[in-house]
Amino acid sequence: MGRTVDYQDLNLGVDSKNVKKTDWFQEWPDSYEKHIYSSEDRNAQRHLSSWAMRNTNNHNSRILKKSCLGVVVCSRNCSVEEGRKIYLRPAICDKARQKQQRKRCPNCEAPLKLIPCRGHGGFPVTNFWRHDGRFIFFQSKGEHDHPRPETKLEAEARRAMKKAQSASSSGSLKLKGGPETKSLPGEMQTWGNLPLTWSFQEGVQLSGSYSGHLIGNMPQQKSLNDCLSLSKGYGLGGAANMADPTSTLGPAKLYEKCKLPSGRLCSSGELLQPVSGVFPDYSDLQPWNKNAALGRNPLNDSYCPNYTFPLTNWPYDFSPSQNSAEPFFQQIPVEPPAAKPSCHPLWPNPGGDLYEEKVHADFNSYYPSTTGHPPQEDPFLLTYTPHPHHQYSLPGKSSKWDFEEEMRYMGLDHCNTEMLLNFCPLR
DNA sequence: CCCTGCGGGCTAT
DNA sequence: ATAGCCCGCAGGG
């Protein structure tokens, strides 16, 4: 072990023995966030992120470091319907990425362009992962200065769709779009056919996972689906064609048969959305500018307006028997997660469960999106106002999280348990 | 084919 | 010492 990387920092100043609460998995960590996840959190185990993060050698086997690859955009900055832009996920593998960059924009056939991430002092945003007993410590450094790419699932689904399309390319249904905008009859829809102006409710009904991304792929708007899984077998959107059939996890199985109101299974393809809200090229605009525009300080602000729970002021109190979330949680059918050993050879998985950790482990992978409220003053949000009637003020680090408000909002508007159960019937 | 993690090695500050 | 990056390798899906 030669070099060390911010080990103290990654310790988060918290003795793992003193960790009382764990955080919900954050799919789009941004800014300078620190989180503690349960070691049973599958997403955390896999060090997932919806940002395209590649492994970076930090010469410290105890700390996994990843750096952001940015986002692939159309060099012509073309727009699809309603002004939405193409934001592809950079391939993680170097070779694959080079290959990817030789491809053409799926919308206009123009060359693709990789916008590198320079959100950390001109360098890519870095994420650090460290396993310690029953917890997984996470820290991100820097603030992404580029749009969000597709999620991993979306990118995988798009590849699958493309592959399937090429396999049946003799089939006729062709679009005027490029090679990646083909349609499969039945399950798959083309990007162009996708709903471009989903309301949040629509998103939730169709997919708890992707709805957040669809409307959340905007600058400064934290993901709506931060609590949702990125891994196979978890995400509703990917469940239909990418679920791990061997998974023994209850929640995953629960979602495998999630159906759309139409009765057919959700497919990733129809939930795919390469682009979303208007996102003008602001590559010139640095994070600090953005934050200035938002009245935020990137160095000390770790606001998470759409998080279900406060994430940065841990350990925080969350008494399941007292807060308003309980009915919601209790109504969700839960199977205990299979006790799986750590997937990381170096970081053993401990035993034991705290109640809140169980809740976490059970729900964080398919928990419906809560809220994602772009601050109205966000100069980049030109078209999207999901809930103009419900605006959050940005909770600063010292501001108190309005948990009740959050849960009320969830209950009334989005995370209606009944709805969830309707769409995800128990077997 | 691609993702992911590991680790050697190089370079810069 | 810290940090960024390149490369190849291996395991896995």
Side-chain angles (χ1 to χ4, degrees), chain A residues 199-202 204-205 369-371 373 386-392 405-417 419:
Chain A
S199 69
F200 187 86
Q201 283 85 351
E202 286 169 328
V204 167
Q205 287 171 5
S369 298
T370 55
T371 64
H373 305 285
H387 290 280
H389 62 283
H390 186 100
Q391 288 291 332
Y392 281 117
E405 173 79 353
E406 178 71 17
M407 293 311 294
R408 183 165 65 249
Y409 187 40
M410 288 169 53
L412 292 177
D413 290 349
H414 306 320
C415 295
N416 184 298
T417 304
M419 182 179 74

Side-chain angles (χ1 to χ4, degrees), chain A residues 153-357:
Chain A
L153 278 179
E154 287 168 333
E156 287 177 352
R158 187 166 51 82
R159 279 201 302 267
M161 184 162 55
K162 186 183 172 186
K163 187 179 278 185
Q165 195 280 333
S166 60
S168 60
S169 58
S170 52
S172 42
L173 275 193
K174 265 208 156 183
L175 292 182
K176 50 188 174 182
E180 296 191 353
T181 59
K182 308 298 170 50
S183 160
L184 290 180
E187 288 296 303
M188 299 296 192
Q189 293 188 20
T190 67
W191 298 14
N193 289 339
L194 287 168
L196 295 176
T197 55
W198 285 5
S199 69
F200 187 86
Q201 283 85 351
E202 286 169 328
V204 167
Q205 287 171 5
L206 287 171
S207 160
S209 179
Y210 282 108
S211 59
H213 182 65
L214 297 179
I215 59 178
N217 194 358
M218 300 175 185
Q220 298 309 316
Q221 183 192 351
K222 302 301 180 183
S223 173
L224 302 174
N225 52 337
D226 284 324
C227 299
L228 291 162
S229 169
L230 306 164
S231 54
K232 292 180 180 179
Y234 277 71
L236 173 56
N241 63 354
M242 289 191 295
D244 176 5
T246 65
S247 170
T248 57
L249 292 176
K253 288 193 171 184
L254 191 68
Y255 259 5
E256 283 173 17
K257 290 206 172 178
C258 264
K259 291 186 178 180
L260 295 174
S262 64
R264 61 200 170 85
L265 290 171
C266 302
S267 74
S268 299
E270 62 194 324
L271 295 172
L272 273 178
Q273 191 78 333
V275 292
S276 54
V278 171
F279 197 100
D281 181 3
Y282 70 115
S283 54
D284 296 335
L285 195 52
Q286 299 304 313
W288 45 88
N289 297 87
K290 291 189 291 173
N291 281 294
L294 293 167
R296 296 177 51 199
N297 177 349
L299 294 178
N300 59 24
D301 180 355
S302 51
Y303 90 108
C304 307
N306 58 320
Y307 294 154
T308 308
F309 301 100
L311 294 166
T312 53
N313 295 325
W314 44 262
Y316 45 80
D317 281 334
F318 167 36
S319 172
S321 62
Q322 290 176 3
N323 70 59
S324 57
E326 185 176 22
F328 174 77
F329 290 135
Q330 287 184 336
Q331 288 176 59
I332 292 190
V334 171
E335 294 175 30
K340 301 192 73 173
S342 166
C343 61
H344 197 291
L346 299 178
W347 301 319
N349 200 35
D353 283 322
L354 297 175
Y355 174 79
E356 61 268 23
E357 289 168 341

